[in-house]
Structures are given as structure tokens and as C-alpha cells.
Amino acid sequence: MAFITDNYIKISGQLQKTGVQLVAVSKIRTDAEILEAYNSGIRDFGENYVQELVAKAGSLPADVRWHFIGHLQTNKVKYIAPFVYLVQGVDSFKLLQEINKEAKKNDRVINCLLQFHIAGEETKFGLDEDELDDIIGNNELKNLKNIMILGLMGMASFSDDEKTIVNEFGYLKSLYNSYNHLSSSNCQFKILSMGMSGDYETAIKEGSNMVRIGSLLFGERKKQL
């Protein structure tokens, strides 16, 4: 499967009008496919699996901004800490602490988004309102000098019901608005990452400023056996 240039031209045109950042979801894509996207001008790529991300980061151009968008286990943080640009799926204070620890070892500040659970499916990861409040209000947060919380990330339900998706994105936007006044040494809300290939246009209408798009750019992934 090759990079779909026509779709990229269309999508990038839409995003430029709104100032929305594109992250190309490149999990299970080959280096050649990613290079084709890179040569078309994309610099932000999203990966779900640590081992795959480490391999790609070692073989692809150094100026790629790698986003980790999957569920990150604390024992895997050390492998991506030297280079990851943005960890989008932070769903616990424990994970923030681990990212901070490994970032300090690498003399870096690692950008993070807090993942909020907005979808109806129980299988999706993410914080609820109380857990989000607990992280933002945790007295220990100020001691994490090597992380920067830049906003929220969420995934809507896989549904054909437009109203459901609008409500879920609208809910996340309202939460983002309630926190985006925050400005501290390690917490400055600037990014609301929501919207994927099937719902990015709705997400933008509801206030997203970062979308994660894979299949529209690379085609549907082959099912792994």
C-alpha cells in the first residue's frame, strides 16, 4: 500500500484553513510508506507500539516528530524517552511520574497529553473527570520538572450515529475549556487532540486542533494473523 497523495492534498488543505495539526498514524506501515509521506511534507507521525516506534526512529529522518498514541506501559517508557516528541495517551499519575523520571535521565522535557475516556466502549483507555481532577490537582505535579502537560486527547465511539460523536467531542472540548486557563511550569493547555480518519471533520467542528489520521493517508491496514 502506498501513501495516498491526493487524500493528503485534500486533508492538508482543509487543515491549513483551520490551523489544525496533522499527525499521520503510521503504525504497521513500512519505512518506505512513511518516507513517501515525509517527502510530501509530513513531519508528525503517530505510533502505537513501542518496539515498532524505536525501530522506525532509528532508521527514518532525525527531524521526524514522533507521537506515541497507544497505551503506554510504565516499563516501556525508557525505550522512547530519548526521542519521543509527544506522549498522547497518559492515563495515570504513575505514568506521568515514570515519563518524568526517564526524561530526566535523558536531560529532556517530554510533552504529554492526558487521555480522557469519552467513548461508550469500555475497552478504550482514559481518565474520567475525577481522575483528571486528581492529576491536575495533585500536589506532587509541580515536582515533575521534566514533563509538560499540553492538553487532552480522546477517542470517540466507533459509531455511525453523528449525534453521539458530536456529543462526545463536545464534552471533551468543554473539559478542555475548563482547564486551558492553567499556566504553570509544567502544565499549559494548548492541544486538544481528537478526530481520526472517520470523524476528523466532526472533531474539527467541535474544537479539535490536532487530528490523528491513518487509513485516509495510507489505506486500510491488512489484518494481522
Side-chain angles (χ1 to χ4, degrees), residues 7-151:
N7 281 357
Y8 170 59
I9 292 171
K10 175 188 173 184
I11 293 167
S12 61
Q14 291 175 310
L15 301 187
Q16 285 172 8
K17 293 176 183 177
T18 55
V20 175
Q21 174 68 54
L22 170 66
V23 178
V25 178
S26 50
K27 63 180 180 181
I28 320 179
R29 305 297 180 177
T30 65
D31 285 5
E33 288 175 291
I34 296 171
L35 274 175
E36 193 172 352
Y38 176 92
N39 290 332
S40 296
I42 298 177
R43 291 296 179 271
D44 293 83
F45 292 88
E47 291 285 332
N48 285 58
Y49 309 112
V50 168
Q51 186 174 359
E52 183 181 354
L53 172 53
V54 171
K56 288 174 177 176
S59 61
L60 290 162
D63 64 336
V64 167
R65 294 183 290 265
W66 294 106
H67 298 237
F68 193 82
I69 59 176
H71 180 62
L72 181 59
Q73 297 173 302
T74 54
N75 64 342
K76 300 288 183 68
V77 173
K78 60 187 175 184
Y79 300 112
I80 64 173
F83 63 87
V84 70
Y85 176 72
L86 177 62
V87 178
Q88 294 208 23
V90 176
D91 59 0
S92 71
F93 192 74
K94 180 182 178 182
L95 180 55
L96 268 184
Q97 290 175 307
E98 187 66 22
I99 294 170
N100 182 76
K101 183 182 81 172
E102 295 299 333
K104 186 175 182 180
K105 289 180 182 178
N106 288 276
D107 194 26
R108 301 187 64 216
V109 173
I110 295 179
N111 297 321
C112 300
L113 300 181
L114 301 178
Q115 182 174 355
F116 195 85
H117 186 279
I118 56 173
E121 295 96 342
E122 291 297 325
T123 54
K124 286 190 171 65
F125 295 98
L127 305 162
D128 61 27
E129 283 195 50
D130 289 339
E131 291 167 332
L132 180 59
D133 283 340
D134 286 345
I135 289 178
I136 297 300
N138 194 311
N139 288 329
E140 295 297 315
L141 181 61
K142 63 181 182 296
N143 298 323
L144 305 184
K145 307 293 187 182
N146 292 83
I147 58 102
M148 176 63 76
I149 299 174
L150 290 179

Side-chain angles (χ1 to χ4, degrees), residues 144-211:
L144 305 184
K145 307 293 187 182
N146 292 83
I147 58 102
M148 176 63 76
I149 299 174
L150 290 179
L152 301 178
M153 181 268 261
M155 291 182 283
S157 298
F158 291 117
S159 172
D160 294 327
D161 184 353
E162 181 75 7
K163 185 177 179 180
T164 295
I165 295 171
V166 167
N167 287 340
E168 290 173 353
F169 285 150
Y171 174 42
L172 188 56
K173 172 61 172 173
S174 69
L175 284 172
Y176 175 82
N177 287 343
S178 69
Y179 287 106
N180 70 359
H181 65 283
L182 295 174
S183 181
S184 64
S185 60
N186 62 359
C187 189
Q188 298 178 14
F189 273 37
K190 299 177 180 178
I191 298 173
L192 179 56
S193 175
M194 59 184 193
M196 300 186 290
S197 288
D199 56 22
Y200 78 93
E201 291 175 308
T202 301
I204 292 171
K205 290 177 183 176
E206 294 303 315
S208 174
N209 59 20
M210 178 177 282
V211 294

